[in-house]
C-alpha cells in the first residue's frame, strides 16, 4: 500500500477530506446529480466484485485490459437494462399512464362499495382525483423533474456517471509507483468508504426487493388466478414492486397502495385479501430490512427511519433515496475513529 498509513497522517488532512466529501455529497443532492452518483457507484462496485475474481491474471497490462472489458460490459449491460425498463413502461402492457388512469376510475367506481370511514378520505369524483394529483405534482415539482422535461438530461447524467464509475474502476488495475500525498490518500479513503457503504446498503436492499417482488408475483400470478381472479396491469405492478422496493419502507407502501386500488376493480373482498397478504410481506420486509441492512451497517431500524425522515425533510424525495447510503457512510466514518 503506497498511501501514508492513517495513524501517520496529520488530522488536518482528514478534516479537509471530510469537508470536501460532505460538500460533494450535498451538492449531488442540490444539483440533482444523485442518479449519476449512484450509477457511478453501482458500476464501480460491480466491476470491483467481478474483477476481484480474476486471480489468474497477473500481468499488469493483461489485468488492465480485463478490467476494461468488464467495465465496458457492465456499463453496456446496465444501459440496455435501463432502456428495456423505459421501453416496457412506455409500452401498452406496462403503461404507467394507463395504470394511473385506471386507478382513478377504480376509486371513483368503488365509492359505493367502501365503508364511509374509507370514502371520507377519497375524492368525490374524477375531477377531485385530478385536483389531488395536480396539487401533489405541484408540491413535488422539483423532485419529479426527472420524470418530465429533464428525463433526457437525467439519462445523460446516469450514463456519464456509469462511464466515470467504469473509468475509476480501472485505477485498481493501474500500478502506482509513487506515494500518495496525504490529502489525496484521505480522499481515496473517503471514496472507498462511500463505495463500501453503497455496496452494503444497496446490494442488501436489492436482495430484499427481489424477495418482496417474488412473493408479490406469486400472489398476483398464481394465488389470485387459482381463485379465478385476474387483475389488470399485473406485469406493470410486478415491475413497479421491484423498482419501488429499492427504496426502504416507503417504496413498499407505494406498491402496496397501487395493488390494493387495482384489486378494488374486482371486489372489496379481493382488495382486503390483497392488503392482508401484502401486510404480511411488508412485515417480512421490515424485519429483513432491519436484519439485513441494519446488520450490514450496524444500525437499528429506528436509526435508518430517522435518517430517512431527516433527509426527506431537508432534500425531498432524493434525500429519502440517499439516506440509507449516506447514513451508512457517516456511521462508518464515526466507527473508524472510535466515536460510536
Amino acid at each position: 500500500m503506497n498511501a501514508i498509513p492513517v495513524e501517520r497522517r496529520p488530522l488536518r488532512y482528514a478534516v479537509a477530506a471530510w469537508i470536501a466529501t460532505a460538500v460533494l455529497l450535498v451538492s449531488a443532492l442540490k444539483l440533482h446529480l444523485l442518479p449519476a452518483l449512484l450509477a457511478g457507484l453501482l458500476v464501480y462496485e460491480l466491476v470491483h466484485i467481478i474483477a476481484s475474481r480474476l486471480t489468474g491474471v497477473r500481468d499488469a497490462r493483461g489485468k488492465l485490459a480485463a478490467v476494461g472489458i468488464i467495465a465496458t460490459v457492465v456499463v453496456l449491460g446496465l444501459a440496455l437494462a435501463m432502456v428495456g425498463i423505459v421501453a416496457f413502461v412506455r409500452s401498452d402492457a406496462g403503461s404507467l399512464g394507463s395504470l394511473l388512469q385506471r386507478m382513478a376510475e377504480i376509486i371513483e367506481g368503488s365509492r359505493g362499495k367502501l365503508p364511509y370511514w374509507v370514502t371520507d378520505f377519497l375524492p368525490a369524483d374524477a375531477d377531485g382525483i385530478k385536483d389531488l394529483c395536480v396539487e401533489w405534482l405541484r408540491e413535488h415539482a422539483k423532485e419529479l423533474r426527472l420524470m418530465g422535461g429533464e428525463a433526457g438530461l437525467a439519462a445523460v447524467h446516469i450514463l456519464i456517471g456509469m462511464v466515470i464509475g467504469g473509468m475509476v474502476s480501472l485505477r485498481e488495475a493501474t500500478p502506482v509507483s509513487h506515494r500518495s500525498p496525504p490529502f489525496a490518500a484521505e480522499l481515496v479513503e473517503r471514496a472507498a468508504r462511500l463505495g463500501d457503504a453503497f455496496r452494503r446498503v444497496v446490494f442488501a436492499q436489492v436482495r430484499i426487493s427481489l424477495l418482496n417482488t417474488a412473493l408479490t408475483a406469486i400472489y398476483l400470478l398464481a394465488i389470485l388466478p387459482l381463485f379465478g381472479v385476474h387483475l389488470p396491469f399485473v406485469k406493470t405492478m410486478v415491475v413497479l414492486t421491484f423498482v419501488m422496493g429499492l427504496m426502504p419502507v416507503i417504496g413498499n407502501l407505494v406498491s402496496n397502495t397501487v395493488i390494493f386500488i387495482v384489486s378494488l376493480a374486482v371486489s372489496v373482498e379481493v382488495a382486503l385479501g390483497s392488503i392482508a397478504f401484502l401486510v404480511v410481506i411488508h412485515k417480512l420486509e421490515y424485519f429483513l430490512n432491519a436484519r439485513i441492512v441494519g446488520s450490514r451497517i450496524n444500525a437499528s431500524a429506528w436509526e435508518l427511519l430517522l435518517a430517512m425522515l431527516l433527509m426527506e425533510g431537508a432534500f425531498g424525495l432524493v434525500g429519502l433515496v440517499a439516506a440509507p447510503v449516506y447514513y451508512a457512510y457517516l456511521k462508518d466514518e464515526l466507527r473508524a475513529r472510535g466515536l460510536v
Side-chain angles (χ1 to χ4, degrees):
M1 186 73 177
N2 294 311
I4 299 175
V6 176
E7 60 272 10
R8 297 183 183 178
R9 298 179 204 150
L11 182 60
R12 63 178 181 274
Y13 295 111
V15 173
W18 290 334
I19 295 175
T21 303
V23 170
L24 290 174
L25 292 179
V26 173
S27 298
L29 298 175
K30 288 292 188 179
L31 300 177
H32 309 288
L33 294 176
L34 182 65
L37 173 62
L38 298 181
L41 289 172
L42 177 61
V43 170
Y44 176 81
E45 290 300 327
L46 287 175
V47 174
H48 175 75
I49 291 174
I50 298 174
S52 63
R53 303 179 184 275
L54 298 178
T55 56
V57 182
R58 301 186 181 278
D59 179 67
R61 291 185 177 179
K63 186 176 182 180
L64 180 61
V67 174
I69 293 174
I70 293 172
T72 302
V73 172
V74 169
V75 171
L76 289 177
L78 291 176
L80 290 175
M82 184 173 63
V83 171
I85 292 176
V86 172
F88 175 78
V89 169
R90 291 184 175 180
S91 68
D92 294 336
S95 174
L96 285 178
S98 299
L99 174 60
L100 293 176
Q101 178 63 32
R102 180 59 175 152
M103 288 172 60
E105 295 173 356
I106 292 171
I107 292 177
E108 184 177 4
S110 301
R111 296 186 60 86
K113 305 176 184 178
L114 298 174
Y116 71 91
W117 54 269
V118 175
T119 57
D120 288 343
F121 293 95
L122 297 178
D125 49 28
D127 292 335
I129 296 173
K130 181 187 295 185
D131 293 340
L132 284 178
C133 291
V134 170
E135 181 181 355
W136 188 88
L137 289 173
R138 186 182 296 113
E139 292 176 354
H140 296 83
K142 292 182 179 180
E143 292 86 347
L144 295 176
R145 269 198 273 175
L146 297 180
M147 300 176 63
E150 295 188 1
L153 181 60
V156 172
H157 286 167
I158 292 174
L159 182 59
I160 293 175
M162 290 192 295
V163 172
I164 293 175
M167 294 174 65
V168 173
S169 65
L170 296 177
R171 184 180 181 277
E172 294 188 358
T174 305
V176 181
S177 58
H178 61 278
R179 291 167 59 89
S180 299
F183 181 64
E186 290 289 351
L187 285 178
V188 170
E189 185 176 342
R190 303 286 81 74
R193 291 189 189 280
L194 179 61
D196 183 63
F198 173 85
R199 183 181 69 253
R200 286 182 284 128
V201 171
V202 173
F203 286 11
Q205 191 62 41
V206 168
R207 292 169 56 190
I208 296 171
S209 182
L210 284 173
L211 176 60
N212 182 27
T213 303
L215 294 175
T216 302
I218 291 174
Y219 175 74
L220 295 176
L221 297 172
I223 296 178
L224 285 181
L226 285 177
F227 292 92
V229 177
H230 300 276
L231 298 181
F233 300 101
V234 171
K235 294 180 180 179
T236 304
M237 290 189 291
V238 171
V239 174
L240 182 66
T241 298
F242 173 73
V243 175
M244 297 303 298
L246 297 178
M247 292 191 297
V249 183
I250 187 67
N252 189 263
L253 294 176
V254 172
S255 59
N256 286 359
T257 301
V258 172
I259 295 174
F260 171 75
I261 293 176
V262 173
S263 298
L264 282 174
V266 179
S267 68
V268 177
E269 291 74 15
V270 173
L272 293 177
S274 295
I275 202 64
F277 184 83
L278 294 171
V279 164
V280 173
I281 296 178
H282 177 68
K283 293 299 182 182
L284 176 62
E285 185 194 14
Y286 184 84
F287 172 78
L288 290 175
N289 207 34
R291 186 69 178 269
I292 298 177
V293 179
S295 63
R296 293 293 180 89
I297 65 176
N298 292 324
S300 302
W302 68 266
E303 294 180 66
L304 288 177
L305 292 174
L306 180 60
M308 293 167 62
L309 179 63
L310 293 176
M311 290 285 286
E312 195 277 336
F315 302 103
L317 296 179
V318 291
L320 186 68
V321 175
V325 176
Y326 279 31
Y327 182 73
Y329 164 71
L330 174 62
K331 192 153 189 178
D332 192 36
E333 288 283 6
L334 295 175
R335 190 183 304 109
R337 292 288 172 177
L339 299 177
V340 294

